[in-house]
Amino acid sequence: MKDHCSHNQFRCNNGYCINATLRCDSFNDCGDNSDEEGCVASPCMFGDCSQICVEKKGGNFSCQCAPGFTMLGGWSKNKSCTAVGKPAHLMVAGDAELRVLNPYKAGENSPNQLLNKQPTPPGYKVESIDMLWDLREPVVFWSDRQNKRIQRSRLSEFDTTAARRRTQREDSMRTVVSARSIQDSNPDFCRVWRTPEDWRLDWVGKRLYWVDAGMDVVMVATLDGQMKSTLVADHLDQPHDIVVDPQSRLMFWSDWGLNPRIEVASMDGSNRRPLVDTMVPWPTGLAVDYPAQRLYWTDPKSHTIESVDLNGRDRIIVKRFPAGESSYS
């Protein structure tokens, strides 16, 4: 507790000082809720619209959909949006395989299996996946923890034969980033480079972003693995997750170190600042809701799923898990 707070801080009734930007962010940052007293509530509340909420006069609001989406009818009329186009596919990563599933019918697996289990080296230990869509043929990227690399492969059409898919997959599989390529570009990193702890694609700028907890860095490269660059290397303790938002030109990452937090910076590494740095002991599973412009994460220590807008305001506990039930992503 302090008698006085700095000019950029808000003094809580209990004597604690918090960042002034946390005032009226719909979250009890002080612990006694004094930072939320006397605030004027917006007519747009979390969950009112699935994507975009537009404030109207008289305390009213209306819901809108982002480009490429349309409003649903039925009980959610004028509130929920659905994507325009063909039905979606769900890609799931296992320890040694990637599978494409039908998200609309439980238990139905697509025959388009991207990786087969290999009992002998080199094998696979798939950690995370991402997809780059284009008008010709989508490309799937995945990190392989066992072999310390990120690979890519074209994703064949879902109605082609198994033999054709296998041939296309083998012909198109490429290693994008590996321990050897990192060593070649910077010999000082070769002793500590593990594998990307987490990584994401910038589908607009055609770049690959990743964090590495061994090197304690945020890095970027072109999609062929060339032109590697370190964006953030200072004051990182244990970076764990990363997401990017090409529309706002922002990247977000979590740090599990002594001062756990979620940080944000421009996608070139500039304008770095903390986004969430209070009551966030173990942030993981970062995800961006692009139309709604919100960041989500799960926290296994606090047993919650939480969300803020991309400015770090309007913090909401989406779900609190009961004791004994895991919230790990």
Side-chain angles (χ1 to χ4, degrees):
M1 293 186 292
K2 298 180 180 180
D3 294 332
H4 301 284
C5 298
S6 63
H7 71 281
N8 61 347
Q9 291 182 319
F10 172 81
R11 189 175 189 277
C12 308
N13 289 345
N14 57 18
Y16 288 103
C17 298
I18 64 171
N19 193 303
T21 61
L22 301 178
R23 166 86 169 130
C24 295
D25 67 348
S26 301
F27 192 83
N28 181 14
D29 299 285
C30 284
D32 62 1
N33 206 47
S34 57
D35 56 311
E36 298 302 315
E37 294 176 356
C39 300
V40 178
S42 167
C44 290
M45 302 299 291
F46 179 81
D48 285 339
C49 302
S50 68
Q51 291 190 346
I52 303 170
C53 183
V54 180
E55 295 186 15
K56 300 288 187 179
K57 293 181 179 180
N60 297 316
F61 69 91
S62 65
C63 298
Q64 295 181 3
C65 297
F69 294 82
T70 186
M71 197 70 71
L72 279 173
W75 66 272
S76 59
K77 185 178 181 181
N78 298 330
K79 289 188 177 182
S80 297
C81 304
T82 185
V84 177
K86 296 180 180 179
H89 295 277
L90 176 65
M91 182 166 291
V92 177
D95 276 351
E97 60 185 359
L98 300 176
R99 283 188 173 273
V100 179
L101 310 180
N102 183 349
Y104 307 104
K105 188 173 181 181
E108 181 175 302
N109 291 3
S110 166
N112 195 330
Q113 185 171 349
L114 303 177
L115 296 176
N116 292 320
K117 293 184 178 180
Q118 301 182 31
T120 58
Y124 284 99
K125 180 70 173 179
V126 177
E127 184 72 14
S128 57
I129 59 176
D130 208 345
M131 186 78 66
L132 178 67
W133 295 96
D134 60 33
L135 296 178
R136 295 170 299 174
E137 191 172 39
V139 179
V140 61
F141 292 73
W142 66 92
S143 58
D144 177 4
R145 176 173 289 274
Q146 180 170 323
N147 297 287
K148 295 186 176 183
R149 61 189 178 185
I150 296 177
Q151 293 188 287
R152 58 177 286 178
S153 178
R154 293 194 305 270
L155 181 61
S156 305
E157 293 295 331
F158 295 100
D159 57 356
T160 56
T161 66
R164 180 170 179 242
R165 283 196 304 271
R166 182 170 57 253
T167 301
Q168 290 176 333
R169 182 176 64 242
E170 292 171 352
D171 290 344
S172 67
M173 189 176 295
R174 298 289 185 272
T175 296
V176 179
V177 179
S178 66
R180 180 176 294 277
S181 69
I182 294 292
Q183 178 180 348
D184 291 342
S185 64
N186 194 329
D188 293 336
F189 285 162
C190 67
R191 296 184 305 275
V192 293
W193 195 83
R194 299 176 182 175
T195 189
E197 193 72 34
D198 193 33
W199 57 276
R200 286 295 181 270
L201 292 173
D202 170 11
W203 61 92
V204 176
K206 302 297 190 294
R207 295 290 188 273
L208 179 69
Y209 290 76
W210 71 90
V211 293
D212 189 282
M215 295 161 42
D216 291 334
V217 293
V218 178
M219 296 190 69
V220 65
T222 50
L223 296 186
D224 58 4
Q226 303 301 310
M227 298 180 64
K228 301 179 187 67
S229 178
T230 301
L231 299 177
V232 181
D234 298 326
H235 308 294
L236 286 175
D237 194 355
Q238 194 178 346
H240 190 269
D241 289 80
I242 188 169
V243 289
V244 297
D245 178 22
Q247 180 178 346
S248 61
R249 299 301 300 164
L250 296 174
M251 60 179 180
F252 307 83
W253 67 90
S254 63
D255 194 315
W256 283 12
L258 293 177
N259 298 302
R261 61 197 180 274
I262 299 174
E263 294 190 81
V264 57
S266 299
M267 293 176 69
D268 62 358
S270 63
N271 304 313
R272 176 185 177 185
R273 63 181 178 87
L275 187 79
V276 182
D277 57 1
T278 59
M279 293 184 284
V280 56
W282 207 2
T284 187
L286 270 59
V288 174
D289 181 345
Y290 298 105
Q293 291 287 278
R294 295 191 65 91
L295 178 75
Y296 289 77
W297 73 93
T298 182
D299 196 310
K301 286 191 176 180
S302 61
H303 305 287
T304 58
I305 295 176
E306 300 187 53
S307 174
V308 294
D309 65 24
L310 298 190
N311 294 313
R313 302 180 65 85
D314 191 26
R315 185 171 176 178
I316 298 291
I317 296 178
V318 180
K319 180 176 176 62
R320 188 181 297 276
F321 293 85
E325 190 172 322
S326 174
S327 62
Y328 204 92
S329 65

